[in-house]
Amino acid sequence: MQAITRKLGHQSLKHSPAISSFKSLYPPSDDQYYCSRFASNVATSGGGHLARKGTGGRSSVSGIVATVFGATGFLGRYVVQELAKMGTQVLVPFRGSEDSPRHLKLMGDLGQIVPMKYNPRDENSVKAVMAKANVVINLIGREYETRNYSFEEVNHHMAEQLAMIAKEHGGIMRFIQVSCLGVSPTSPSRMLRAKAAAEEAVARELPEATIMRPAVMIGTEDRILNPWAHFAKKYGFIPLFGDGSTKIQPVFVADVASAIVASLKDNGISMGKVYELGGPDVYTMHELAELMFDMIREWPRYVNVPFPIAKAIASPREFLLKKVPAPMPTPTIFNLDAIEAIITDNIVSKDALTFEDLGLAPHKVKGYPVEFLIQYRKGGPNYGSTVSERVSPESYP
């Protein structure tokens, strides 16, 4: 103890005001010495900011407070990620369990991703999650109907309600409505008709709103290649409606998210405009299925299902939906409304505004956007050869 005291400088400690005060309360014995146990080297002033405002990174402050409706969906996680990595505070309304937005929390800096439980049918609840925002992005949409939510309510009425509340808000600087490529009031698909009505309602309430029409989106959680691959692994084939000749223009989901954020970064030239977001290549349904089989390294097998038969197979769910007092299974491939939607080609119009007008170049679908399909390879990611290298179906084990 004496050696330690000598090393600390007993004489300087002995005459310290703090030690003298301490001694007055607790008189020491002859062989007891006092030393400072804890000390801080943090400057009391002049140390500068602990964190500086960045120039667009995750820990910077972008000035945007965005409420993203539908953030827990497929496209939502990519939009939240794009917003969060530029220093945006993202308000995430959710109506399910507390776990629904949990995966989004890690995408932004501490406190930047704010989950907020709400009821989409309660106007006051919607106003509460929009109160602090200056940007509103509506991603709400569903390609199938449930007992509780119809196509019209989810895809049309909710969008109209959000536009009306944003108009009353007074502080919403940008409103982005995400629709679908191929929307039309005369479409055989109820969802596409509802989306068309939503666009009309939003444009009526907020003429300066930006409308995005993405094509069929491809990505890790997509609703076309995943169901196909799962069906092929389970049954050894996939059904092609019609003869698989319907043309589509699939787009990588991350590119759509980038387009939405790019429209927020411009000087307002995208306000009041409609963008059609399709990938760089046009595929038939058969060609896209070939690409899927090539990635999962399975021999391609198809069953051509005429549209009338496909509709007949998918119709019982729609007929029983409101008559059975229990939730019906979620449709995947045999989704009646989705079958109606692919009867006609769904590609970007020639005179439409596209990615190029936002200063972006979309990814080709063949490559990184479909690499997630390797999870369906039977023997692991490196198993098997490509379809083009096989000689015959009999050579496949």
Side-chain angles (χ1 to χ4, degrees), residues 75 78-80 82 252-262 277 355:
L75 175 59
Y78 296 91
V79 172
V80 171
E82 287 290 326
F252 184 35
V253 62
D255 291 334
V256 178
S258 298
I260 292 171
V261 175
L277 308 177
F355 282 106

Side-chain angles (χ1 to χ4, degrees), residues 8 14 28 45 69 99 127 140 143 178 183 193 207 247 256 292 331 362 384 394:
L8 291 174
K14 183 176 181 181
S45 62
F69 290 92
D99 290 337
K127 288 180 178 179
I140 296 175
E143 68 277 8
V178 177
V183 296
R193 292 199 302 269
K247 293 180 180 179
V256 178
M292 182 274 298
E394 288 74 21

Side-chain angles (χ1 to χ4, degrees), residues 204-218:
R204 182 176 62 250
E205 297 294 335
L206 296 171
E208 64 276 11
T210 303
I211 295 175
M212 301 286 184
R213 294 176 179 171
V216 175
M217 291 184 288
I218 302 297

Side-chain angles (χ1 to χ4, degrees), residues 90-166:
V90 185
L91 310 180
V92 180
F94 69 98
R95 65 179 183 86
S97 70
E98 298 290 338
D99 290 337
S100 299
R102 186 175 61 177
H103 62 286
L104 304 175
K105 294 275 288 182
L106 301 176
M107 295 180 179
D109 211 343
L110 184 64
Q112 290 293 83
I113 310 298
V114 185
M116 303 180 72
K117 196 172 183 68
Y118 87 121
N119 180 1
R121 288 173 172 158
D122 182 1
E123 186 174 333
N124 291 328
S125 177
V126 176
K127 288 180 178 179
V129 298
M130 205 187 292
K132 303 293 183 182
N134 55 22
V135 168
V136 173
I137 302 174
N138 179 30
L139 308 179
I140 296 175
R142 180 169 283 174
E143 68 277 8
Y144 60 90
E145 201 170 23
T146 66
R147 296 175 68 249
N148 297 322
Y149 289 93
S150 65
F151 280 119
E152 290 72 24
E153 183 176 9
V154 172
N155 299 295
H156 172 203
H157 299 308
M158 287 185 183
E160 184 176 22
Q161 180 190 45
L162 295 182
M164 292 174 63
I165 294 174

Side-chain angles (χ1 to χ4, degrees), residues 318-331:
E318 308 302 319
F319 176 76
L320 298 172
L321 185 62
K322 300 294 178 66
K323 295 179 172 59
V324 177
M328 296 293 291
T330 299

Side-chain angles (χ1 to χ4, degrees), residues 42-352:
V42 177
T44 56
S45 62
H49 296 290
L50 293 178
R52 298 179 182 272
K53 290 185 178 181
T55 57
R58 173 187 170 100
S59 297
S60 64
V61 178
S62 68
I64 298 174
V65 180
T67 300
V68 183
F69 290 92
T72 57
F74 173 32
L75 175 59
R77 67 187 66 200
Y78 296 91
V79 172
V80 171
Q81 183 183 33
E82 287 290 326
L83 290 170
K85 73 181 182 182
M86 59 183 271
T88 300
Q89 185 173 45
V90 185
L91 310 180
V92 180
F94 69 98
R95 65 179 183 86
S97 70
E98 298 290 338
D99 290 337
S100 299
R102 186 175 61 177
H103 62 286
L104 304 175
K105 294 275 288 182
L106 301 176
M107 295 180 179
D109 211 343
L110 184 64
Q112 290 293 83
I113 310 298
V114 185
M116 303 180 72
K117 196 172 183 68
Y118 87 121
N119 180 1
R121 288 173 172 158
D122 182 1
E123 186 174 333
N124 291 328
S125 177
V126 176
K127 288 180 178 179
V129 298
M130 205 187 292
K132 303 293 183 182
N134 55 22
V135 168
V136 173
I137 302 174
N138 179 30
L139 308 179
I140 296 175
R142 180 169 283 174
E143 68 277 8
Y144 60 90
E145 201 170 23
T146 66
R147 296 175 68 249
N148 297 322
Y149 289 93
S150 65
F151 280 119
E152 290 72 24
E153 183 176 9
V154 172
N155 299 295
H156 172 203
H157 299 308
M158 287 185 183
E160 184 176 22
Q161 180 190 45
L162 295 182
M164 292 174 63
I165 294 174
K167 183 178 181 179
E168 295 173 2
H169 185 286
I172 302 300
M173 299 168 61
R174 304 295 291 272
F175 187 100
I176 298 178
Q177 166 70 14
V178 177
S179 185
C180 291
L181 189 64
V183 296
S184 170
T186 59
S187 173
S189 165
R190 286 178 60 194
M191 186 195 74
L192 294 180
R193 292 199 302 269
K195 285 289 188 181
E199 287 187 12
E200 182 181 350
V202 169
R204 182 176 62 250
E205 297 294 335
L206 296 171
E208 64 276 11
T210 303
I211 295 175
M212 301 286 184
R213 294 176 179 171
V216 175
M217 291 184 288
I218 302 297
T220 306
E221 309 87 0
D222 71 22
R223 287 130 191 203
I224 180 168
L225 296 183
N226 274 305
W228 278 358
H230 184 75
F231 196 95
K233 296 299 294 183
K234 189 173 183 178
Y235 300 106
F237 72 95
I238 65 168
L240 280 183
F241 304 134
D243 55 359
S245 61
T246 304
K247 293 180 180 179
I248 60 174
Q249 199 166 344
V251 61
F252 184 35
V253 62
D255 291 334
V256 178
S258 298
I260 292 171
V261 175
S263 70
L264 296 177
K265 292 180 179 179
D266 63 19
N267 57 1
I269 59 174
S270 62
M271 296 177 69
K273 295 181 180 178
V274 178
Y275 293 85
E276 295 191 359
L277 308 177
D281 300 314
V282 176
Y283 291 82
T284 64
M285 299 295 283
H286 182 270
E287 290 170 344
L288 190 61
E290 286 281 333
L291 177 61
M292 182 274 298
F293 274 113
D294 188 62
M295 285 303 299
I296 68 173
R297 293 179 177 170
E298 296 278 353
W299 187 265
R301 296 181 177 89
Y302 308 100
V303 173
N304 288 325
V305 182
F307 282 114
I309 296 177
K311 291 180 187 179
I313 295 172
S315 292
R317 180 189 183 274
E318 308 302 319
F319 176 76
L320 298 172
L321 185 62
K322 300 294 178 66
K323 295 179 172 59
V324 177
M328 296 293 291
T330 299
T332 52
I333 292 179
F334 287 95
N335 179 350
L336 180 60
D337 197 78
I339 295 170
E340 297 277 11
I342 63 171
I343 290 177
T344 57
D345 295 343
N346 191 4
I347 58 178
V348 174
S349 307
K350 290 183 179 180
D351 56 348

